[in-house]
Structure formats: structure tokens, C-alpha cells
Amino acid sequence: MFGYRVPAPDEAMLISGGRRGLGGAPFRVVTGHGKFVFPVFRKVRFLTLSMCEAEVTETCVTKQGISLHVRAVIAFKVGNDHESIINAGQRFLSDQEQMSVLTGRIFAGHLRAIIGSMTVEEIVTERQKLAAEVLDTSKTEMAKIGLIVDSLQIQSIDDGDTGYIDAMSAPHKAAIQRQAQIAQAQATQAAVEAEQAAARKQAEYARQTAIVKAEYSAEVDRAQAQAAQAGPLAQAHAQQEVLAAQTELAERQAKLRQQQLVAEVVKPAEAEAERVRILAAAEAQRMKIQAEAAASYDRVALDRMLIDQLPQIVKEAAGGLSGANVNVLNGADGLGEIAAGLVSQGLTILDSVRQNLGGQDKANQGDQRGRSDTNGLLQLHSGSKDRRSDDGPVDVD
């Protein structure tokens, strides 16, 4: 609408002209809403309320007489109240750029004054304290010109070529360097220990791997050797079993053959040898009787008769023994006992006959007794046969 003016959110509209509503101020302040302004009778101007920045670069001398180059940044703006806007509008409305220049000069003066009362160590280590003191001392002056400071930042402090700050920081730098070297040495040592530990672990792993490989290789070799020997061992075992069976069979055959030899050769040979021995003994006895008969004339007839009969008796006894199924329990000794018994009986008969020859009627009685004894010898031979048949065969071992 014609004549209606509205200020921006960050602006203050200043209306000059007329006297109503001024309240002693040279202009009326309108913020946040519009206003009808008569074009001819009123004049409108706008004052910024936005944030402004002023940079201060100043060489200051400390309490110790050391020059420091200080660089600071100030953030300020026009106050929101009518009084601040009026004060700022009266001073900066025609040239609002002068707000930054004037603010920088004001803060430069306060900065020099405050740094002059502090040492370098305090300035370097307590920058926030420095900024707070500068703000406090400049607040009144800034309020007179309608400005308020939001923040003050000390960006840099430099002593130029004096080297005071470097000298001041030298012990700290040395300590920091020493700590850095110690930390580096510790880190290097830790790295070396870690590398050594890793190398030991790798060596241990390699050793264990080699041991496992060697054990596996040895196990494989043993398995292959066992597999290679399995066939020959089985064959040798089978041959051993065959040899054992053959040996057992040979032993059994040898025992059987031995038994056959005993039955077929040894026992018949023993029986034949015993028979021959009996015949030889009978022959020797006959020869002895003949010799005794030759020495005695009185018994010539009887001895001749006995001698003639004795071989026949012995022959029949031997023949009966050889033809009989005789099993002698005591072997050759048992067989010899039988033969010796026969010969002994024959000799007993012969002695009895000789004794009877010495009595009365030697010739007649001798003949009769000779016949009786002869009959008795024959009966004895028959009784021997009957006794063998009654007693049964005698086993020969």
C-alpha cells in the first residue's frame, strides 16, 4: 500500500519528521511491524541489527616489558532496546561501517591496558581471563554507543623475534620431547617384543608342524612297511602252520612205525632169541650130564636113558613154547624165567634118580624109578602145557 513501510527482521526502521510520539528522541523506532509514513512529511531510514565483526591486531607491551603481537576477533551488534538503537542510530546511521572500526579501536585500547598489567606467562596460559577482563572493561563504553559484544576471541599471541615464548616453552617442549622419545622407545620396544613374540610363535608353530609332519610320515612309513610285510608274514605263518602239521604227522607216523617195528620185529626177535638161549642152555646141560654119566659106571644105563630122553623133553618144551601164544609180562626176563623153570624141573628129576641109585635093588628099582621119573617128567611137561592153557596168555611188554 502506498506509504506503508515494514522493516526487515534484522533491521530497525527509523522515522524522522514530525514531533508526535518522539518522546525527546530525534526519530521514532519501529521494529517487528509496519508503519504508514507520509512521503513528503516523513523520512525513513533503516539501521541493521545483525551481527557484525571487528578484527583487532595490536602490539602490546606486557608487565615484563616484552612486546607481544596480539590478534583478536570481536563479535558485536546493535542492542535490541530502543535506547541502544537510538544511540547507535545517532552515531552510525549515516555510515554503519564505522561500527566495526570504532569497536576495533575501543577493544585495542582496552587490550593494551589489560596486557600491560599481565605477564607473558599469564597471557599465554590464561587467554580466557584476558578476554573476560577486556569484555568487562569495554562493556560500559560499548553500551554508550548502543553496541553489545557477544564474544571476544584471542586468536594469536606472538612475541616476534624476542623468542621469549619459545624459551618459556622450551622446558615444556623438552619434557614433551622426552616423553615423546620415551613413548617412542617404549613403542619401539613393544614393537620389537611383539615381533619377537610373533617370531617365537611362528617358530613354535613351524616346529609343531614339522613334528606333526614327521609323525605322520613315520606313521605312513610304518603302515606301508606293515602292508608290505603283511603278505610275506601271512605266507610264512601259513608255511609255519603247514610245517607244524607235517611235523606232527611225521611224529605220529614215527610212533606208529615204532609200534609196528616193536610188534613185527622186536617182540618176535626177542622170542626167537629166548628160544635159542633155552636150546643152548639145554644143550649145555645135556653135555654136562653126558660128562657126569661118563664118570659113573654104575649109572651108565640110566644116564644114557635120561640123556636120550632129555633132549626130546627139552625139544618138546621149547617147541611148545615157540608155538604157544605167550605174552610175557616182564619181557625177556619173564620168558627166561619160564625156560629156567623147565630146566630146573628137569635137573631136579635127574638128581632124584641119581639118589635112588644108591639104595637096594639099584638095578631093578632104578629101572622102575627111571620109568616112573620119565613118566613124571612127561607129566610135568604136559602139566606145563596145561598150566599155560589154564592161566591164559601172558602179556609181553
Side-chain angles (χ1 to χ4, degrees), residues 142-215:
M142 293 294 289
K144 289 180 180 180
I145 60 178
L147 300 178
I148 59 175
V149 179
D150 288 339
S151 67
L152 171 64
Q153 295 292 331
I154 306 297
Q155 292 187 338
S156 65
I157 299 174
D158 186 12
D159 61 352
D161 296 333
T162 59
Y164 186 89
I165 296 177
D166 292 338
M168 183 179 65
S169 63
H172 301 286
K173 289 181 179 179
I176 292 173
Q177 290 177 356
R178 182 170 60 255
Q179 292 177 357
Q181 292 175 356
I182 293 172
Q184 183 64 33
Q186 292 177 351
T188 303
Q189 182 179 0
V192 172
E193 291 177 355
E195 291 179 357
Q196 292 177 353
R200 286 195 298 270
K201 289 181 179 180
Q202 291 179 355
E204 180 65 20
Y205 178 76
R207 185 182 69 85
Q208 293 179 356
T209 303
I211 292 173
V212 172
K213 287 182 178 179
E215 292 177 353

Side-chain angles (χ1 to χ4, degrees), residues 98-112:
Q98 288 297 318
M99 288 189 295
S100 297
V101 176
L102 182 59
T103 300
R105 290 176 180 175
I106 292 173
F107 272 88
H110 289 289
L111 192 60
R112 285 195 301 269

Side-chain angles (χ1 to χ4, degrees), residues 160-283:
D161 296 333
T162 59
Y164 186 89
I165 296 177
D166 292 338
M168 183 179 65
S169 63
H172 301 286
K173 289 181 179 179
I176 292 173
Q177 290 177 356
R178 182 170 60 255
Q179 292 177 357
Q181 292 175 356
I182 293 172
Q184 183 64 33
Q186 292 177 351
T188 303
Q189 182 179 0
V192 172
E193 291 177 355
E195 291 179 357
Q196 292 177 353
R200 286 195 298 270
K201 289 181 179 180
Q202 291 179 355
E204 180 65 20
Y205 178 76
R207 185 182 69 85
Q208 293 179 356
T209 303
I211 292 173
V212 172
K213 287 182 178 179
E215 292 177 353
Y216 178 76
S217 179
E219 186 176 357
V220 171
D221 293 340
R222 286 195 299 270
Q224 291 178 352
Q226 291 177 358
Q229 294 176 358
L233 287 175
Q235 185 177 1
H237 185 67
Q239 291 178 355
Q240 185 177 3
E241 291 181 353
V242 170
L243 291 175
Q246 291 178 352
T247 302
E248 185 178 359
L249 179 60
E251 290 178 354
R252 291 181 179 180
Q253 290 178 351
K255 289 181 180 180
L256 180 60
R257 183 58 181 167
Q258 182 179 6
Q259 293 176 358
Q260 290 177 353
L261 289 175
V262 170
E264 295 177 358
V265 178
V266 175
K267 290 183 178 180
E270 290 178 352
E272 181 64 22
E274 188 63 26
R275 187 179 68 82
V276 171
R277 190 176 66 80
I278 292 172
L279 291 175
E283 183 65 22

